[in-house]
């Protein structure tokens, strides 16, 4: 079992990474149990993950004397809304869970974001644990404490910064992950290299076949390195007043793609893949990124099995969706750009370079 | 203008108290404007308060160059739910409010709790200002950062600890307050004396006629002293891990009364009035409080124009409602008791003393 610390003062926590953690009672006792102080533990999961991983976790917790409340939601980004968040509150209140309950998020990013937000709001805050089961949630949403739900007018518009007590990453869960979701996770891994570590980007590019073939050493390496990069950025700026925004590279365009197509049509990571291409094109048009680097980036994104061509929603639709994007300040739309591979910069952009970039989405 | 500081480290803020603050441009410039850094300001209020106080505030803010988004909700505890919280998010998103927006809560406790929770969740947190216009919200909910909404299975079950940037208390707004709501505010004022300051309790008891006649010096004195008491308790225990729970004196029973009768049937302060009588009876049955003190407390609550007889919901209904009360730990129901007037103690109680106390609600 490897560990990475996320250093956030009194909100610091540990990320445990290992293969088979969920079946390993010693590991669960050491990593999970100290965060379950009360008698009741609520496990929030979805209809896809529950048949695979819920039962051994329930058995373990019941064996150590806990009362387990399972709350099973439907699977998908389209259910990341108030109505389904309410089901978590319903389950907790119907089972008379007090402030001493611990919530466990067992699933991908949607489950993690919703469970974390439910924990932040239930009786004004109860402890929670992340057990991410997709590559994307393991390298991204399980680190940093961003929680929330979507609003019909924008993604993740309602939420909280709320840190888990601990994160358990069992790399064995990736064996049951569909290839499309594996690719979606690779999008964030590529992003980590692009914004912070050119050698890592090159390593990921060269190791892509092994990663897509689920080579466990390669996966353990990228999960650890991506978690380290994200943890360092978050530790420097927990509430996104500045630096943390670089983690949104590809996401301003990506959110517009998701909103324009309807949440759930593309996976988040797929939208980020095509969104990173647009952000790289914009960086190239502003003369921050060479054409050679732009092509390298597009090739790596394609090699990960991700879309590199954003959908043709119409230029105005892109602008409208980005206008409500949460990174939009009072002056113009703020983008994360690449000043070469491995260096991110934050800049408000409008006018011709942006219109030219969006024009590349109009394929006929 | 008097000021009271609430000392919460980096979340510290100032409470300004004065008559006519809302009409005083110098006071608004000094106390309000520094908390409105962005171009947009959203004022959340209700259909009762808006005709009285919205227009001068909008005029002032527009005169200093702000774009004002008014969001007007229906008036009443029964609207303190997700559907109406959603209207705040709708208003903010439809008007393209970014993270730089400031939310102003203009109204009573329901508006303050909902606006504060909306500010806590909108884009994971934007600044907000409290302008409480009822006595109850001025002495209670505007201090301490408890925000939230009700759930069908319990009051304030969904919420956040989230502190305002500043609080403006204009005592002139009490001139338009219905007598019943004035009494509801006196409930929390009586509570502050009972849990923390016996001399203050006696002063409030003796000054009750002037308070109910809206004597402005008497009102300014109680608002300042109650805010000081509450601020000191909150500063010692912001997230209610211990001491802060004493502020819930009368509230465990009170919440059961509100839930049992349906939210909005009695005002919150009325339920707390009758709830404090039950808590005093329980304290007496446990031999912490003399019969003389018990009668003094009942007389003062009656003199404030508050109910002293809790409704006959049935003993089991009380127990059921208190079982989900957020102060309920894993072991029994936790009550705030009086160890004499001016001294609160926290204790889990069940069995005969509790049943005997609840039996007093069965009037035939």
């Amino acid at each position: 079992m490897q560990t990475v610390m996320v250093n956030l003062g009194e909100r610091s926590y540990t990320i445990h990474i290992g293969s088979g953690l969920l079946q390993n009672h010693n590991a669960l006792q050491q990593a999970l149990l100290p965060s379950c102080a009360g008698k009741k533990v609520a496990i929030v999961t979805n209809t896809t993950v529950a048949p695979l991983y819920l039962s051994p976790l329930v058995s373990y917790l019941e064996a150590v004397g806990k009362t387990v409340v399972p709350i099973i939601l439907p699977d998908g980004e389209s259910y990341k809304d108030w109505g389904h968040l309410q089901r978590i509150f319903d389950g907790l209140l119907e089972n008379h869970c007090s402030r001493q309950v611990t919530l466990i998020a067992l699933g991908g990013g949607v489950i993690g974001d919703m469970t974390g937000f439910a924990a932040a709001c239930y009786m004004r805050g109860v402890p929670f644990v992340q057990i991410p089961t997709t590559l994307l949630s393991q390298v991204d949403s399980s680190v940093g404490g961003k929680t929330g739900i979507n609003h019909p007018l924008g993604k993740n518009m309602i939420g909280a910064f709320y840190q888990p007590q601990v994160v358990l990453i069992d790399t064995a869960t990736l064996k049951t992950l569909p290839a499309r979701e594996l690719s979606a996770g690779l999008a964030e891994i590529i992003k980590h290299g692009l914004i912070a570590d050119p050698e890592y980007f090159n390593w990921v590019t060269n190791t892509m076949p092994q990663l897509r073939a689920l080579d466990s050493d390669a996966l353990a390496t990228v999960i650890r390195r991506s978690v380290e990069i994200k943890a360092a950025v978050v530790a420097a700026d927990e509430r996104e007043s500045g630096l943390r925004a670089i983690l949104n590279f590809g996401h301003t365009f990506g959110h517009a793609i998701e909103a324009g197509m309807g949440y759930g049509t593309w996976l988040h990571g797929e939208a980020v893949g095509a969104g990173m291409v647009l952000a790289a094109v914009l960086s190239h048009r502003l003369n921050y990124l060479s054409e050679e680097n732009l092509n390298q980036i597009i090739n790596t994104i394609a090699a990960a099995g991700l879309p590199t061509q954003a959908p043709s929603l119409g230029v105005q639709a892109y602008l409208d969706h980005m206008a409500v994007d949460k990174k939009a300040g009072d002056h113009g739309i703020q983008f994360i750009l690449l000043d070469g591979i491995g260096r991110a910069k934050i800049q408000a952009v409008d006018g011709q370079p942006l219109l030219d970039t969006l024009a590349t989405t109009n394929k006929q």
Side-chain angles (χ1 to χ4, degrees), chain A:
Chain A
M1 191 158 68
Q2 301 185 74
T3 59
V4 176
M5 268 303 280
V6 184
N7 295 307
L8 295 168
E10 61 184 11
R11 294 181 296 284
S12 295
Y13 60 93
T14 305
I15 300 172
H16 300 268
I17 306 164
S19 182
L21 285 190
L22 282 176
Q23 313 284 343
N24 181 336
H25 287 194
N26 284 339
L28 291 175
Q29 188 187 353
Q30 181 195 329
L32 174 62
L33 218 50
S35 297
C36 302
K39 170 95 180 145
K40 287 184 184 164
V41 177
I43 304 177
V44 183
T45 186
N46 67 33
T47 48
T48 304
V49 175
L52 298 169
Y53 304 112
L54 179 59
S55 163
L57 193 57
V58 171
S59 301
Y60 168 75
L61 287 166
E62 288 181 346
V64 295
K66 302 294 178 187
T67 302
V68 179
V69 176
I71 299 173
I72 301 174
L73 303 178
D75 182 15
E77 176 84 22
S78 58
Y79 304 105
K80 189 177 167 181
D81 61 11
W82 171 260
H84 292 86
L85 183 72
Q86 187 76 8
R87 284 213 211 165
I88 302 177
F89 298 134
D90 293 346
L92 295 171
L93 285 166
E94 283 161 8
N95 288 281
H96 301 284
C97 292
S98 74
R99 267 195 185 169
Q100 278 71 47
V101 71
T102 295
L103 269 60
I104 296 179
L106 177 68
V110 171
I111 288 293
D113 284 8
M114 294 181 75
T115 307
F117 187 41
C121 298
Y122 187 64
M123 297 188 176
R124 301 197 184 92
V126 297
F128 91 109
V129 173
Q130 291 266 26
I131 305 183
T133 59
T134 65
L135 183 60
L136 186 133
S137 59
Q138 289 173 351
V139 298
D140 185 38
S141 55
S142 69
V143 189
K146 279 197 181 180
T147 70
I149 55 173
N150 298 329
H151 182 282
L153 294 178
K155 191 172 153 64
N156 292 322
M157 284 292 138
I158 317 298
F161 287 98
Y162 199 69
Q163 304 296 342
Q165 304 291 305
V166 67
V167 179
L168 274 69
I169 297 178
D170 183 348
T171 54
T173 60
L174 300 179
K175 289 180 187 148
T176 55
L177 193 69
R180 197 179 154 197
E181 296 213 31
L182 191 84
S183 293
L186 291 169
E188 301 288 345
I189 288 167
I190 292 167
K191 182 194 77 178
H192 291 139
L194 288 175
I195 61 171
D197 186 343
E199 284 180 34
Y200 181 48
F201 174 76
N202 288 335
W203 189 87
V204 170
T205 300
N206 296 332
T207 317
M208 200 60 84
Q210 294 92 307
L211 290 167
R212 295 189 70 186
L214 294 176
D215 178 280
S216 55
D217 286 347
L219 285 171
T221 301
V222 290
I223 290 170
R224 189 190 167 95
R225 181 64 191 135
S226 274
V227 159
E228 281 174 350
I229 289 174
K230 180 156 186 190
V233 173
V234 169
D237 175 24
E238 184 181 2
R239 295 183 71 86
E240 197 170 321
S241 45
L243 175 71
R244 182 168 175 166
I246 67 170
L247 293 169
N248 290 320
F249 176 69
H251 282 59
T252 305
F253 291 113
H255 288 166
I257 293 170
E258 286 184 279
M261 300 184 77
Y263 293 117
T265 310
W266 279 16
L267 295 175
H268 173 68
E270 291 171 337
V272 168
M276 289 194 293
V277 172
L278 288 177
V281 169
L282 181 58
S283 305
H284 173 60
R285 301 224 169 226
L286 292 167
N287 294 317
Y288 296 134
L289 193 70
S290 70
E291 188 162 359
E292 185 193 347
N293 280 347
L294 172 62
N295 288 330
Q296 273 184 288
I297 292 168
I298 294 173
N299 288 339
T300 298
I301 292 171
L306 292 164
T308 55
Q309 170 64 51
S312 53
L313 307 170
V315 169
Q316 193 56 49
Y318 273 97
L319 291 173
D320 289 346
H321 286 300
M322 293 191 296
V324 296
D325 190 278
K326 66 180 173 299
K327 294 172 292 300
D330 277 351
H331 306 289
I333 301 171
Q334 197 171 270
F335 288 94
I336 315 305
L337 303 170
L338 291 184
D339 188 15
I341 288 175
R343 278 191 305 279
K345 64 183 287 173
I346 306 172
Q347 185 179 317
V349 182
D350 55 11
Q352 208 55 47
L354 178 56
L355 295 177
D356 288 348
T357 300
L358 290 173
T360 68
T361 65
N362 285 323
K363 43 173 186 181
Q364 296 300 332

